Amino acid sequence: MKSALPSYDQAAAMVTAHAKRLSRFRPAVERVELSHASGRVLARPILTDRDQPPFSRSTRDGFACHAAEASTHGFLTVAGAVRAGDAPSGPLLPGTAWEIMTGAPVPAGADAVMMIEHVELAADGDAGRKVRLVPPRTIKPGENIVSQGAQGRAGDELLSAGAVLHSGQIALAASCGSSALDVFVRPRVAILTTGDELVPVDASPSPGQIHNSNAPMLAALVSAAGGEPWILPPAADNAEALGRALALAVTADLLLISGGVSAGKFDLVEPALDRMGARFHFTGVRIQPGKPTVFGELPRGAGVGSQSPTLPFFGLPGNPVSSAVTFLLFAAPVLAALAGSSEGTPRFALARLAPHPDRNGKPGLTRFLPAFCNFSALDGQPPEAAFVPWHGSGDLTALALSNCFLVVPEDAGDLEPGAIVRILLP
Ligand code: AMP
Ligand code: MG
């Protein structure tokens, strides 16, 4: 039975293929101010309103000159000064240079800027100051100048739809004179937690009960991945409760069900989905944690607006580490596709394995184990990742102390300290 399950790579390939198909259903578009654009997905490209940069600008404080003339080392008369914000000045006449500040427009006729650190100045009586490049240094045309339009011509597309807006993209929009941007409406992600043992976070659990930690955890993961979390009332472990809850979720863009997908007597999610006509893409993956993960689609008749006629869903095993890992591996890419995002997910990086207690591979399973990677060390080496001690996939302390998951490949023997390993980033 186990060997019939797809490997991580096979399951990931299925997710990618379905995500690509689902990405054809574009979300609606809304307009947001730049101050609210962080993390949103661009729906219409950013075009420049004028050449970028709009004038040839100096990248240094120094003296605008004609490179060939300056390289002969004769003294040049300082004809004037241009500051950032000044209108383009000039023209540059033979035998002269213009004092210029970073970001200021380069006078017409000048083709280079001598850095202030590379020149010597001399007084020239009534004529003011003279400047020359300190020999034997020479300068080439274009040095310390970004030409008008080098980053884009008026009307050019600088950033395509699908880009996720972070600080750099927002700054680019601002530099093009856009104070608001068209972004995709965030997909609404229904979060259905299941389990008779769950009580709300603000209720006191009786013996045997636990707080529902997956609902807020999944909501945080959904928000971080560009979705709008919609937490449904938790469902008890019986067919009627599950049926009612699932029926409520059909208007969502994506459905996450936590718990109830293992092989236990009260794991009733798969049969409930089956009764609703679900098509299952996979009902388990050879990974640990997260082996019972389910991926499929529910029919829902007419979608809302341009919504897909099917509702993609994931059944995530209820153990918190399993839910978090399988969300990142499988649900996040589908959410990104539904959000219109072109940013690739899941995100992996390479790290160096710290000395560690035994964390061997498990035959036939790719493992994703809570780890802490020291990203801030700058010693020219790949960052070092260490396993966080854990007590299995229910260990929320280990989850909270981790900042990534260390990937132990299916066929890994003993992992030697210092080995280069893959990590899954949140
Ligand atoms: P299940 O996948 O339903 O078999 O649950 C596996 C384990 O995860 C059990 O120990 C559950 O109590 C726990 N669990 C299930 N749902 C949640 C939840 N929403 N929050 C915290 N733990 C949960
Ligand atoms: Mg359960």
Side-chain angles (χ1 to χ4, degrees), residues 373-393:
C373 185
N374 181 5
F375 293 105
S376 52
L378 198 62
D379 57 1
Q381 300 287 320
E384 194 177 64
F387 288 113
V388 171
W390 82 324
H391 299 278
S393 50

PDB file of all heavy atoms in Angstrom, residues 373-393:
ATOM      1  N   CYS A 373      18.198  27.703  11.353  1.00  0.00           N
ATOM      2  CA  CYS A 373      19.307  28.067  10.479  1.00  0.00           C
ATOM      3  C   CYS A 373      19.811  29.446  10.870  1.00  0.00           C
ATOM      4  O   CYS A 373      19.022  30.387  10.992  1.00  0.00           O
ATOM      5  CB  CYS A 373      18.848  28.056   9.021  1.00  0.00           C
ATOM      6  SG  CYS A 373      20.198  28.360   7.885  1.00  0.00           S
ATOM      7  N   ASN A 374      21.101  29.535  11.070  1.00  0.00           N
ATOM      8  CA  ASN A 374      21.703  30.822  11.454  1.00  0.00           C
ATOM      9  C   ASN A 374      22.025  31.616  10.183  1.00  0.00           C
ATOM     10  O   ASN A 374      23.127  31.572   9.666  1.00  0.00           O
ATOM     11  CB  ASN A 374      22.961  30.561  12.276  1.00  0.00           C
ATOM     12  CG  ASN A 374      23.611  31.848  12.712  1.00  0.00           C
ATOM     13  OD1 ASN A 374      23.076  32.935  12.477  1.00  0.00           O
ATOM     14  ND2 ASN A 374      24.767  31.739  13.333  1.00  0.00           N
ATOM     15  N   PHE A 375      21.032  32.356   9.713  1.00  0.00           N
ATOM     16  CA  PHE A 375      21.186  33.076   8.444  1.00  0.00           C
ATOM     17  C   PHE A 375      22.077  34.302   8.578  1.00  0.00           C
ATOM     18  O   PHE A 375      22.515  34.849   7.589  1.00  0.00           O
ATOM     19  CB  PHE A 375      19.816  33.537   7.922  1.00  0.00           C
ATOM     20  CG  PHE A 375      18.922  32.406   7.508  1.00  0.00           C
ATOM     21  CD1 PHE A 375      17.861  32.017   8.307  1.00  0.00           C
ATOM     22  CD2 PHE A 375      19.151  31.729   6.320  1.00  0.00           C
ATOM     23  CE1 PHE A 375      17.034  30.975   7.926  1.00  0.00           C
ATOM     24  CE2 PHE A 375      18.336  30.684   5.932  1.00  0.00           C
ATOM     25  CZ  PHE A 375      17.276  30.304   6.735  1.00  0.00           C
ATOM     26  N   SER A 376      22.287  34.767   9.816  1.00  0.00           N
ATOM     27  CA  SER A 376      22.975  36.053   9.956  1.00  0.00           C
ATOM     28  C   SER A 376      24.490  35.921  10.039  1.00  0.00           C
ATOM     29  O   SER A 376      25.185  36.927   9.992  1.00  0.00           O
ATOM     30  CB  SER A 376      22.423  36.816  11.161  1.00  0.00           C
ATOM     31  OG  SER A 376      22.462  35.988  12.286  1.00  0.00           O
ATOM     32  N   ALA A 377      25.008  34.680  10.147  1.00  0.00           N
ATOM     33  CA  ALA A 377      26.464  34.529  10.192  1.00  0.00           C
ATOM     34  C   ALA A 377      27.028  34.833   8.805  1.00  0.00           C
ATOM     35  O   ALA A 377      26.506  34.358   7.802  1.00  0.00           O
ATOM     36  CB  ALA A 377      26.828  33.112  10.602  1.00  0.00           C
ATOM     37  N   LEU A 378      28.089  35.646   8.769  1.00  0.00           N
ATOM     38  CA  LEU A 378      28.637  36.056   7.478  1.00  0.00           C
ATOM     39  C   LEU A 378      30.091  35.605   7.421  1.00  0.00           C
ATOM     40  O   LEU A 378      31.004  36.399   7.500  1.00  0.00           O
ATOM     41  CB  LEU A 378      28.519  37.583   7.362  1.00  0.00           C
ATOM     42  CG  LEU A 378      28.623  38.158   5.954  1.00  0.00           C
ATOM     43  CD1 LEU A 378      27.498  37.633   5.068  1.00  0.00           C
ATOM     44  CD2 LEU A 378      28.575  39.669   5.989  1.00  0.00           C
ATOM     45  N   ASP A 379      30.303  34.273   7.337  1.00  0.00           N
ATOM     46  CA  ASP A 379      31.675  33.764   7.366  1.00  0.00           C
ATOM     47  C   ASP A 379      32.074  33.159   6.017  1.00  0.00           C
ATOM     48  O   ASP A 379      33.023  32.408   5.925  1.00  0.00           O
ATOM     49  CB  ASP A 379      31.819  32.730   8.493  1.00  0.00           C
ATOM     50  CG  ASP A 379      30.827  31.588   8.350  1.00  0.00           C
ATOM     51  OD1 ASP A 379      30.050  31.593   7.372  1.00  0.00           O
ATOM     52  OD2 ASP A 379      30.828  30.691   9.204  1.00  0.00           O
ATOM     53  N   GLY A 380      31.327  33.512   4.965  1.00  0.00           N
ATOM     54  CA  GLY A 380      31.671  33.018   3.636  1.00  0.00           C
ATOM     55  C   GLY A 380      31.255  31.582   3.406  1.00  0.00           C
ATOM     56  O   GLY A 380      31.486  31.020   2.346  1.00  0.00           O
ATOM     57  N   GLN A 381      30.651  30.955   4.394  1.00  0.00           N
ATOM     58  CA  GLN A 381      30.185  29.566   4.281  1.00  0.00           C
ATOM     59  C   GLN A 381      28.665  29.575   4.110  1.00  0.00           C
ATOM     60  O   GLN A 381      28.019  30.545   4.487  1.00  0.00           O
ATOM     61  CB  GLN A 381      30.510  28.811   5.580  1.00  0.00           C
ATOM     62  CG  GLN A 381      31.969  28.741   5.923  1.00  0.00           C
ATOM     63  CD  GLN A 381      32.708  27.787   5.026  1.00  0.00           C
ATOM     64  OE1 GLN A 381      32.200  26.723   4.699  1.00  0.00           O
ATOM     65  NE2 GLN A 381      33.897  28.168   4.590  1.00  0.00           N
ATOM     66  N   PRO A 382      28.094  28.489   3.591  1.00  0.00           N
ATOM     67  CA  PRO A 382      26.636  28.401   3.622  1.00  0.00           C
ATOM     68  C   PRO A 382      26.172  28.481   5.077  1.00  0.00           C
ATOM     69  O   PRO A 382      26.905  28.049   5.971  1.00  0.00           O
ATOM     70  CB  PRO A 382      26.332  27.019   3.038  1.00  0.00           C
ATOM     71  CG  PRO A 382      27.574  26.603   2.338  1.00  0.00           C
ATOM     72  CD  PRO A 382      28.716  27.297   3.006  1.00  0.00           C
ATOM     73  N   PRO A 383      25.004  29.039   5.340  1.00  0.00           N
ATOM     74  CA  PRO A 383      24.557  29.166   6.730  1.00  0.00           C
ATOM     75  C   PRO A 383      24.393  27.778   7.361  1.00  0.00           C
ATOM     76  O   PRO A 383      24.103  26.801   6.677  1.00  0.00           O
ATOM     77  CB  PRO A 383      23.201  29.873   6.612  1.00  0.00           C
ATOM     78  CG  PRO A 383      22.762  29.632   5.220  1.00  0.00           C
ATOM     79  CD  PRO A 383      23.996  29.507   4.380  1.00  0.00           C
ATOM     80  N   GLU A 384      24.587  27.743   8.686  1.00  0.00           N
ATOM     81  CA  GLU A 384      24.543  26.454   9.388  1.00  0.00           C
ATOM     82  C   GLU A 384      23.134  26.200   9.927  1.00  0.00           C
ATOM     83  O   GLU A 384      22.523  27.082  10.532  1.00  0.00           O
ATOM     84  CB  GLU A 384      25.544  26.462  10.529  1.00  0.00           C
ATOM     85  CG  GLU A 384      25.784  25.065  11.080  1.00  0.00           C
ATOM     86  CD  GLU A 384      26.846  25.052  12.165  1.00  0.00           C
ATOM     87  OE1 GLU A 384      26.623  25.672  13.217  1.00  0.00           O
ATOM     88  OE2 GLU A 384      27.890  24.410  11.955  1.00  0.00           O
ATOM     89  N   ALA A 385      22.627  25.014   9.655  1.00  0.00           N
ATOM     90  CA  ALA A 385      21.293  24.646  10.141  1.00  0.00           C
ATOM     91  C   ALA A 385      21.426  23.500  11.133  1.00  0.00           C
ATOM     92  O   ALA A 385      22.159  22.543  10.898  1.00  0.00           O
ATOM     93  CB  ALA A 385      20.403  24.215   8.981  1.00  0.00           C
ATOM     94  N   ALA A 386      20.719  23.632  12.248  1.00  0.00           N
ATOM     95  CA  ALA A 386      20.768  22.600  13.293  1.00  0.00           C
ATOM     96  C   ALA A 386      19.361  22.057  13.523  1.00  0.00           C
ATOM     97  O   ALA A 386      18.389  22.828  13.541  1.00  0.00           O
ATOM     98  CB  ALA A 386      21.306  23.201  14.582  1.00  0.00           C
ATOM     99  N   PHE A 387      19.264  20.755  13.700  1.00  0.00           N
ATOM    100  CA  PHE A 387      17.977  20.167  14.082  1.00  0.00           C
ATOM    101  C   PHE A 387      17.549  20.743  15.424  1.00  0.00           C
ATOM    102  O   PHE A 387      18.377  20.920  16.315  1.00  0.00           O
ATOM    103  CB  PHE A 387      18.095  18.653  14.240  1.00  0.00           C
ATOM    104  CG  PHE A 387      18.259  17.910  12.954  1.00  0.00           C
ATOM    105  CD1 PHE A 387      19.441  17.236  12.656  1.00  0.00           C
ATOM    106  CD2 PHE A 387      17.212  17.858  12.035  1.00  0.00           C
ATOM    107  CE1 PHE A 387      19.589  16.535  11.469  1.00  0.00           C
ATOM    108  CE2 PHE A 387      17.355  17.150  10.845  1.00  0.00           C
ATOM    109  CZ  PHE A 387      18.541  16.499  10.563  1.00  0.00           C
ATOM    110  N   VAL A 388      16.267  21.020  15.564  1.00  0.00           N
ATOM    111  CA  VAL A 388      15.712  21.411  16.860  1.00  0.00           C
ATOM    112  C   VAL A 388      15.258  20.105  17.522  1.00  0.00           C
ATOM    113  O   VAL A 388      14.628  19.278  16.863  1.00  0.00           O
ATOM    114  CB  VAL A 388      14.516  22.376  16.665  1.00  0.00           C
ATOM    115  CG1 VAL A 388      13.802  22.618  17.973  1.00  0.00           C
ATOM    116  CG2 VAL A 388      14.994  23.687  16.050  1.00  0.00           C
ATOM    117  N   PRO A 389      15.617  19.896  18.807  1.00  0.00           N
ATOM    118  CA  PRO A 389      15.154  18.660  19.460  1.00  0.00           C
ATOM    119  C   PRO A 389      13.630  18.590  19.375  1.00  0.00           C
ATOM    120  O   PRO A 389      12.959  19.611  19.567  1.00  0.00           O
ATOM    121  CB  PRO A 389      15.594  18.840  20.915  1.00  0.00           C
ATOM    122  CG  PRO A 389      16.572  19.961  20.916  1.00  0.00           C
ATOM    123  CD  PRO A 389      16.317  20.792  19.710  1.00  0.00           C
ATOM    124  N   TRP A 390      13.120  17.439  19.028  1.00  0.00           N
ATOM    125  CA  TRP A 390      11.658  17.371  18.932  1.00  0.00           C
ATOM    126  C   TRP A 390      11.114  16.033  19.399  1.00  0.00           C
ATOM    127  O   TRP A 390      11.821  15.034  19.448  1.00  0.00           O
ATOM    128  CB  TRP A 390      11.177  17.713  17.518  1.00  0.00           C
ATOM    129  CG  TRP A 390      11.217  16.595  16.495  1.00  0.00           C
ATOM    130  CD1 TRP A 390      12.157  15.612  16.389  1.00  0.00           C
ATOM    131  CD2 TRP A 390      10.267  16.374  15.452  1.00  0.00           C
ATOM    132  NE1 TRP A 390      11.864  14.801  15.326  1.00  0.00           N
ATOM    133  CE2 TRP A 390      10.713  15.235  14.734  1.00  0.00           C
ATOM    134  CE3 TRP A 390       9.106  17.007  15.044  1.00  0.00           C
ATOM    135  CZ2 TRP A 390      10.009  14.746  13.629  1.00  0.00           C
ATOM    136  CZ3 TRP A 390       8.423  16.510  13.945  1.00  0.00           C
ATOM    137  CH2 TRP A 390       8.871  15.387  13.255  1.00  0.00           C
ATOM    138  N   HIS A 391       9.853  16.090  19.790  1.00  0.00           N
ATOM    139  CA  HIS A 391       9.157  14.889  20.252  1.00  0.00           C
ATOM    140  C   HIS A 391       8.068  14.550  19.260  1.00  0.00           C
ATOM    141  O   HIS A 391       6.915  14.398  19.620  1.00  0.00           O
ATOM    142  CB  HIS A 391       8.574  15.127  21.645  1.00  0.00           C
ATOM    143  CG  HIS A 391       9.628  15.445  22.661  1.00  0.00           C
ATOM    144  ND1 HIS A 391      10.370  14.480  23.296  1.00  0.00           N
ATOM    145  CD2 HIS A 391      10.105  16.629  23.111  1.00  0.00           C
ATOM    146  CE1 HIS A 391      11.247  15.041  24.108  1.00  0.00           C
ATOM    147  NE2 HIS A 391      11.100  16.353  24.017  1.00  0.00           N
ATOM    148  N   GLY A 392       8.415  14.515  17.993  1.00  0.00           N
ATOM    149  CA  GLY A 392       7.434  14.109  16.995  1.00  0.00           C
ATOM    150  C   GLY A 392       6.597  15.266  16.492  1.00  0.00           C
ATOM    151  O   GLY A 392       6.732  16.408  16.926  1.00  0.00           O
ATOM    152  N   SER A 393       5.703  14.949  15.576  1.00  0.00           N
ATOM    153  CA  SER A 393       5.032  15.989  14.791  1.00  0.00           C
ATOM    154  C   SER A 393       3.951  16.738  15.563  1.00  0.00           C
ATOM    155  O   SER A 393       3.332  17.650  15.040  1.00  0.00           O
ATOM    156  CB  SER A 393       4.463  15.382  13.512  1.00  0.00           C
ATOM    157  OG  SER A 393       3.721  14.237  13.813  1.00  0.00           O
TER     158      SER A 393
END
